[in-house]
Amino acid sequence: MRKKIIAGNWKMNNNKSETKQLISSINNLLKFRDNLRVIIAPSFTNLESAVGYSSDSFIEVSSQNVHHKTSGAYTGEVSAAMLLSIGINIAIIGHSERREYFNEDELLLFEKVKTTLDNGMEVIFCFGENINERRANKHFDVVSSQIKNVLFKLKDSEFKKIILAYEPVWAIGTGETANPTQIQEMHSHIRKLIAAKYGNKLSQSTPILYGGSVKSNNAVEIFSNKDVDGGLIGGASLNSEDFINIINSI
Ligand code: PGA
């Protein structure tokens, strides 16, 4: 059975003391469950402290980004090996904000994914259509090519280390969520795509998260879809009670 995953993407929020406070209040409310992974993604500067603050809990810590090269003259950048050396084993790659504001294209995203996997880390890979693509009824095609152009270049053994996160761009930070039918039909489409490429077994074991305005009042409905294995939570992950309510909804 696939494990459930709730991941909090903190984006560019929380300084060091806020990071400590938020982790400690999540920890106070969090109950261990065997089939559940809880991941948080603070900013680079707070990753090492976050690992320390969550050492007595089952919370896992992910980075929000990673550089595509192993090392070298890339001023201001952070490599996968650096992350690993402070206890970070997961990186978010392909978030729509990185694609849009930092011009990350699929060639670069593939390099990032590959380098991260080569370092033995897991990847939370984000993708999703924008509003114009949805209105033009191109969302299945867009998502298919986003997955094929990056993830389907991987070997089976590499693909196993990927957590997929379907995040329709029009639902991120907007308060507007895809409805359960839209979510389930896309997740099922993705699972079929994976089955056609890597076989049914791997497809059935691959986690597919939904992201985009998941809140405590819509989480139950979203997570009740059979191909939804959890959520990537932005805004609502910044408040411990909201985040815990979402965790308890799965
Ligand atoms: P949101 O962000 O929950 O604030 O919409 C989701 C994300 O960007 O991963």
Side-chain angles (χ1 to χ4, degrees), residues 202-235:
L202 189 43
S203 164
Q204 285 304 321
S205 62
T206 301
I208 309 175
L209 314 185
Y210 169 80
S213 298
V214 179
K215 307 286 176 205
S216 44
N217 62 4
N218 60 21
V220 170
E221 195 181 36
I222 292 170
F223 298 152
S224 63
N225 292 293
K226 96 174 174 18
D227 285 301
V228 176
D229 302 307
L232 182 55
I233 322 298

Side-chain angles (χ1 to χ4, degrees), residues 9 11 95 97 167 171-173 212-214 232-235:
N9 175 10
K11 308 191 180 182
H95 193 280
E97 287 151 18
E167 298 204 303
I172 296 177
S213 298
V214 179
L232 182 55
I233 322 298

Side-chain angles (χ1 to χ4, degrees), residues 6-7 38 62 87 96 112 120-121 130 139 144 148 187 214 218:
I6 303 292
V38 174
S62 165
S96 67
K112 284 194 180 210
M121 295 170 65
N130 65 31
H139 43 290
S144 301
K148 284 180 186 163
H187 281 230
V214 179
N218 60 21

Side-chain angles (χ1 to χ4, degrees), residues 3 39 42 164-165 215 229 245:
K3 273 201 176 193
I39 301 170
L164 282 79
K215 307 286 176 205
D229 302 307
N245 281 334

